[in-house]
Amino acid sequence: MVDLVSGATGREGTLVMSTGVIGQHLQMDKIGQGIAQAVAQAETSHDAWLRVSEAIMTTDTFPKLMSREVTLPGTDRSYRLVGFCKGAGMIKPNMATMLASIFTDANVSAECIQLATKSVVEHSFNAIIVDGDTSTNDTFAVMANGASGMDSITDPHSAEFAEFQAQLRDFATTLSQLIVRDGEGATKFVDVHVKNAPSFADAKAIANTIALSPLVKTAMYGRDANWGRIICAVGFS
């Protein structure tokens, strides 16, 4: 597949994202034709972004596409964030049936993008749960082309990097929550907040246990204010 894309675009550096029915062989002839058609139709309009977000849908009921312009503090310069994702079932952190990509024209070094991505994903796409099942296929990628013309962010200890990472985290969190809102059979959206935990890892373990608890889920579905079930989940986390 990488060779097909490289041959059609004349460029190297292809990232393959795949999800679908486990155990089924891919129809490479059909995929090859689709790649050629996609390259021929490539453009940068809003409709093009929408078509991409629709093309990756499986059991999703709506395309998940976002964009945002961020103004640099104390300046009149800005950069943009655009992202899309897919997913509705088999959603649980650390291997979920989801694909997500975020693109930015911010000028950020590869080292800083990698550090930001690792941090951001733990607060967003690795912090959502629908049904508690996992999958063999998931991808979260962040790509920056530096086309905004802003000064380059190369120091991971700088205030500029901290601001960029905060903006990216907020964007990724909102984008990832679209998957939960479109969860297969979901009727409620619940955001779990844990305060005063000894560490982020402890807080996340508690939140995951609450979100995965069948008793908590049935209480939420039935609108039963049985907070004891939440306390119980915290206790055995």
Side-chain angles (χ1 to χ4, degrees):
M1 197 177 298
V2 171
D3 291 340
L4 288 173
V5 175
S6 297
T9 61
R11 299 182 180 183
E12 300 296 328
T14 300
L15 175 65
V16 174
M17 298 190 296
S18 175
T19 185
V21 180
I22 296 173
Q24 295 290 328
H25 290 285
L26 297 176
Q27 300 179 39
M28 294 307 299
D29 290 342
K30 183 179 292 186
I31 290 174
Q33 295 173 9
I35 289 172
Q37 292 174 5
V39 171
Q41 298 173 11
E43 55 173 318
T44 59
S45 67
H46 171 76
D47 287 343
W49 285 102
L50 183 59
R51 288 198 300 271
V52 171
S53 62
E54 290 174 338
I56 63 174
M57 292 170 58
T58 50
T59 58
D60 305 63
T61 63
F62 62 85
K64 300 166 179 64
L65 174 67
M66 280 179 50
S67 64
R68 181 180 299 173
E69 186 169 3
V70 180
T71 301
L72 296 170
T75 74
D76 58 355
R77 310 195 76 170
S78 63
Y79 61 89
R80 290 170 292 182
L81 295 164
V82 179
F84 56 78
C85 62
K86 63 81 55 185
M90 295 181 74
I91 302 298
K92 178 188 175 183
N94 303 324
M95 289 307 281
T97 308
M98 62 154 214
L99 305 176
S101 297
I102 295 177
F103 306 86
T104 179
D105 58 1
N107 191 1
V108 186
S109 70
E111 177 191 7
C112 286
I113 279 288
Q114 184 65 25
L115 289 172
T117 300
K118 285 185 175 181
S119 173
V120 163
V121 73
E122 291 305 314
H123 294 81
S124 55
F125 289 94
N126 264 355
I128 57 173
I129 291 173
V130 171
D131 44 32
D133 280 333
T134 57
S135 170
T136 57
N137 303 290
D138 70 346
T139 301
F140 173 62
V142 179
M143 288 161 269
N145 63 14
S148 65
M150 59 180 276
D151 292 338
S152 179
I153 298 176
T154 58
D155 182 2
H157 304 291
S158 65
E160 291 78 12
F161 173 75
E163 171 65 18
F164 171 77
Q165 182 170 262
Q167 292 289 346
L168 183 63
R169 178 191 296 181
D170 182 72
F171 185 85
T173 298
T174 304
L175 183 62
S176 68
Q177 289 175 350
L178 294 178
I179 292 177
V180 181
R181 296 183 186 279
D182 195 27
E184 292 178 356
T187 61
K188 305 288 188 299
F189 176 87
V190 178
D191 197 358
V192 181
H193 293 258
V194 179
K195 297 181 179 180
N196 301 322
S199 67
F200 173 75
D202 290 326
K204 192 168 184 179
I206 293 170
N208 284 346
T209 305
I210 293 171
L212 285 168
S213 167
L215 288 179
V216 173
K217 288 185 176 184
T218 53
M220 295 298 173
Y221 177 78
R223 300 182 181 182
D224 178 12
N226 188 345
W227 55 268
R229 295 185 176 185
I230 298 175
I231 298 300
C232 178
V234 173
F236 68 74
S237 64

